[in-house]
Amino acid sequence: MHPLKKLLRYASTYKTDLRLATLYSILNKFFDVLPEVLIGVAVDIVVNGEKSFLAKRVLGSFGMTETWHQLVFLGVVNAFIWMGESWFEYLLSLKWRKLAQNLQHDLRLDTYDHVQKLEMAYFENQRTGNLMSVLNEDINQMERFLNGGANQIIQVICSSVMVSAVFFVLQPSLAIISLLPVPVILFGAFWFQKRLAPRYAEVREAAGDVSARLNNNLLGLATIKAFATEDFEKKHIAEASNTYRQANARAIAVSAAITPVIRMAILAGFTATLVYGGWLTLHDELAVGAYSVLVYLTQRLLWPMTGLAEVADMYQRSMSAIDRAMNLLDTPINIHYEGAHLPQATVRGDLRFEQVSFAYGEQTTLAHINLHIPAGKTVAFVGSTGSGKSTLVKLLLRFYTPQSGHILLDGQATDMLKLQDLRRVIGYVAQDSFLTDGTIADNIAYGLENISEQAIADAARAAEAMEFIQKLPLGFATRIGERGQKLSGGQRQRLALARAILKNPPILILDEATSAIDNETEAAIQRSLEVVSRNRTTIVIAHRLSTVRQADCIHVLESGSIVESGTHEQLLQLHGAYAALWRLQTGEK
C-alpha cells in the first residue's frame, strides 16, 4: 500500500479536519486567482469605458455605466477578494498545522506504544538508534509535510483547474496551446518522483544508521575513553555520516534537475500565450482585457509549478519517512496480551515448568526442563555462562515464548493469563536495572501511584539503601542522572531492590543482581533478601555461589539442562558440577 494511503487510513479519526483544511486551501486559491481576473477587467474598463464587459453585463441594469463608478465598484470587489484570501489563508494555516501537530503526537505515541508491546526477539535484530530515528526524525518529517507540503499540492492542482477554466471560457484555441506544457510538467514531476523514491528510502536508512551509531557511542562513552578509542570511533561516525551524505547526494542529483526541466516547459506555455494571444488581439479576435487576463493567468498558472520541485522533494522525503513509521506500526505483535485476570492477592507463587524447551534461532538454550518451585521457597539457579539460567526467568516473564512445554503459576498456564497481570505479580531485579533520570524517590516508586514517603523509606531501608541516600545532598529528592549515572553500581542495585520490595510481589526474581557489585554491597543485599524472601517465592540467578548458599534448593544448569539439584550441603557431597564450581570460587583444591 502507498505510504499516503497508509497515512490517510491512520488519520481516519481526523477526516473532518482534513476535509476542512482541504476546503480552506481550495477557497484560498480561488480568491488568490481572482485578482488577475480583476486586472483584465480593469484594463477593459480603461480601454472601453462605458462599453466595457462590466458595464454591459453586470452594472448596466443598476445605471452604473460611468468609468469612475465601474472602477470604484472594482475597488470594493478587490478589497473583498483580498480579505477573503487573507481569511482563508489564516484558516488553512491554522487547520493544517493543528492537524500536523495532532497526527505527529498520535503517531509518535501509538508507534512507541506498539514498540513496547513487541516481543524481545524483535529487538535482537534492531538497533536502538534506528528505532529512535523512526520515532523522532521520520515522524517530524511527516509533520513538516502536513504543515506546508499538502497545502501546496492542493493549491497547485486547484490553480491548474481554475485557470484552465478561465482560459477555455475566454479563448479555447489559445487555452489548448498555452496549457500544452501542463501535462509535460506533471509527467516530469511524477517521473522524477519515481526516481527519487528509492533514493530517499536510502537516505532515511542512512540517517537511521547515523543515529544508531551516535546512540551506541554516547551510551558507551566511558568505555571509549578508557580504551582511548576516540579517533577510532570518530572514523566509524565519519563512515556512517559519509554514507548518509552520499545517499543525499544521489537524491539531490535527481531533485535538482526538476526545476530547470519545469522552467523550460513554462517558457513554452508563456511564450505561446504572449505571442499567439497578442496576434489574436491585434486581429480583433481577442479583447485587450481578455488578453491581459490570459497573460497574467499564464504566469499565475505556470510559474508556481516551479514549486513542484520543492513539493516533490518534500513529498518524497515525507513518503519515505511515513513508510518507515507505518511499517513499524504494522509490525505484528507475536505475543498474546489478553487472557484470564490474575488478582495479585490470590497468587501464592507456586511455579511449574513442564517439558519447557527454547532456542534462540537454531541454538538450543533450554531442553525439556521439568521443574517445580514451591510457593514461598527460595530457589537458585547456577551454571556457566550460556547454560540457560536467565532464559528461564525471561520465559516466566513472557519476554519470550517457549517452543514447547508450559509454565504454570498456581496451576494456571502463564500464556493463558493476562500478560500485564502476570508481570505485576513478579518483582524483577536485573544485573543492569533500568533507572530513570528522576529522583531517588521516583525510581523506588517507579510504576506505582499514590505511594507515601514512608512506604518509599521503608523499602529503601529494607534494601539497606538508607545509608547512602541520607548522605546525598537532597536525600530522596536527589536526581540521579540518566540511567542513574551519578550512583555507583552497588547503589543502583540497592535502588532496584528497593523498587522490587515496594512493589511487594508474590514472586521475586534476582537475575545476576549481585554479579557486578562489591562484597559489602553483596552482603547488604544478602541481608535484605533474608528478610524480603520470607513467605515469598524467590528466584535467584547467580554466578557467585556465596549468594545462594542459604537457598532452599539450588539447581545447576549445563547446556540447557538441569544436571544437579539440592541444598548447598547436599550438592557439595555429590562432588559434581556444583562442588567443582565451589572449589573454583573458594580456592579449595
Side-chain angles (χ1 to χ4, degrees), residues 198-212:
R199 286 171 169 80
Y200 278 129
E202 289 179 11
V203 170
R204 298 314 314 154
E205 289 299 323
D209 289 341
V210 173
S211 180

Side-chain angles (χ1 to χ4, degrees), residues 143-165:
E143 180 219 358
R144 288 192 286 271
F145 169 69
L146 288 176
N147 266 338
N151 174 62
Q152 285 180 273
I153 291 172
I154 291 169
Q155 293 205 333
V156 165
I157 294 171
C158 288
S159 64
S160 301
V161 172
M162 293 175 186
V163 172
S164 300

Side-chain angles (χ1 to χ4, degrees), residues 462-483:
E464 299 208 14
M466 284 297 288
E467 181 181 355
F468 83 83
I469 291 175
Q470 290 173 340
K471 293 179 181 178
L472 295 173
L474 298 176
F476 283 95
T478 303
R479 300 189 72 87
I480 63 174
E482 187 177 13
R483 300 182 68 86

Side-chain angles (χ1 to χ4, degrees), residues 531-546:
V531 176
V532 302
S533 63
R534 292 172 188 164
N535 302 317
R536 189 193 312 270
T537 303
T538 305
I539 299 174
V540 182
I541 296 173
H543 276 101
R544 292 184 183 180
L545 301 187
S546 57

Side-chain angles (χ1 to χ4, degrees), residues 3 37 85 94 125 223 272 313 336 369 378 411 420 468 486 497 501 527 531 533 555 566 576:
V37 177
E85 180 190 0
L94 193 68
N125 300 316
T223 302
D313 188 72
H336 183 59
I369 296 293
T378 298
Q420 297 299 71
F468 83 83
K486 295 181 181 180
L497 181 58
I501 292 170
R527 290 193 298 270
V531 176
S533 63
H555 299 283

Side-chain angles (χ1 to χ4, degrees), residues 256-327:
I258 301 177
T259 299
V261 171
I262 290 176
R263 280 175 182 268
M264 292 302 99
I266 290 171
L267 172 64
F270 187 72
T271 303
T273 304
L274 195 66
V275 176
Y276 181 58
W279 186 86
L280 291 174
T281 305
L282 290 173
H283 289 79
D284 295 326
E285 294 184 29
L286 185 65
V288 174
Y291 174 62
S292 302
V293 171
L294 294 179
V295 170
Y296 281 113
L297 284 181
T298 303
Q299 181 78 354
R300 174 53 64 97
L301 167 65
L302 298 179
W303 189 251
M305 288 191 175
T306 58
L308 279 176
E310 181 183 345
V311 173
D313 188 72
M314 180 192 296
Y315 173 80
Q316 203 51 63
R317 283 179 183 268
S318 301
M319 290 305 104
S320 297
I322 289 168
D323 198 38
R324 277 168 38 101
M326 290 299 171
N327 285 342

